Amino acid sequence: QVRLVESGGGSVQAGGSMRLTCTASGYTRCMGWFRQAPGKEREAVATIVSGGVSTYYADSVKGRFTISQDNAKNTKYLQMNSLKPEDSAMYYCGAVTSASTCSHRNYNDWGQGTQVTVLS
């Protein structure tokens, strides 16, 4: 298992920007951000292959969110621009550590979560 430490989050006005950071304590095959709003299932927002270039974005965030990484720091970033009230949720950093693929169902390590609230 790997420990994931998140930072960022908070409240912002609609149209604003926010950056989330997640640092892993060890090896990850891939990492990403998932979110869960009250009464809804957790959904993948953006994921990236660790040390690679392959990324995934949910349709709802394409063109607004960007996931990036600093391999030397074992850290991933989620830059969120043009935020909308519907982006409000608990955001979780997740990682795949032992599985051989980056399928979303293989994410098995999670951070504590950080709340993002977008005010209308």
Side-chain angles (χ1 to χ4, degrees):
Q1 280 192 330
V2 68
R3 182 169 177 247
L4 302 174
V5 179
E6 302 160 347
S7 61
S11 297
V12 66
Q13 291 290 331
S17 297
M18 187 178 291
R19 190 176 81 160
L20 305 182
T21 300
C22 181
T23 300
S25 62
Y27 167 80
T28 62
R29 181 174 296 279
C30 37
M31 286 174 63
W33 296 93
F34 294 67
R35 68 187 180 187
Q36 187 168 20
K40 295 187 177 181
E41 294 187 355
R42 185 177 297 189
E43 63 172 349
V45 175
T47 61
I48 189 167
V49 174
S50 296
V53 297
S54 181
T55 58
Y56 162 87
Y57 292 99
D59 288 343
S60 60
V61 307
K62 284 180 180 176
R64 300 188 297 121
F65 290 12
T66 302
I67 189 168
S68 61
Q69 59 188 335
D70 184 332
N71 295 323
K73 296 181 179 180
N74 235 2
T75 296
K76 269 55 172 180
Y77 306 96
L78 183 67
Q79 179 65 42
M80 305 184 291
N81 298 328
S82 302
L83 283 160
K84 304 176 181 180
E86 51 263 44
D87 293 317
S88 297
M90 185 69 79
Y91 282 69
Y92 296 92
C93 176
V96 175
T97 55
S98 56
S100 58
T101 71
C102 290
S103 171
H104 292 163
R105 65 178 182 270
N106 290 336
Y107 277 72
N108 58 345
D109 286 285
W110 299 97
Q112 77 279 8
T114 186
Q115 179 68 40
V116 172
T117 302
V118 184
L119 306 171
S120 58

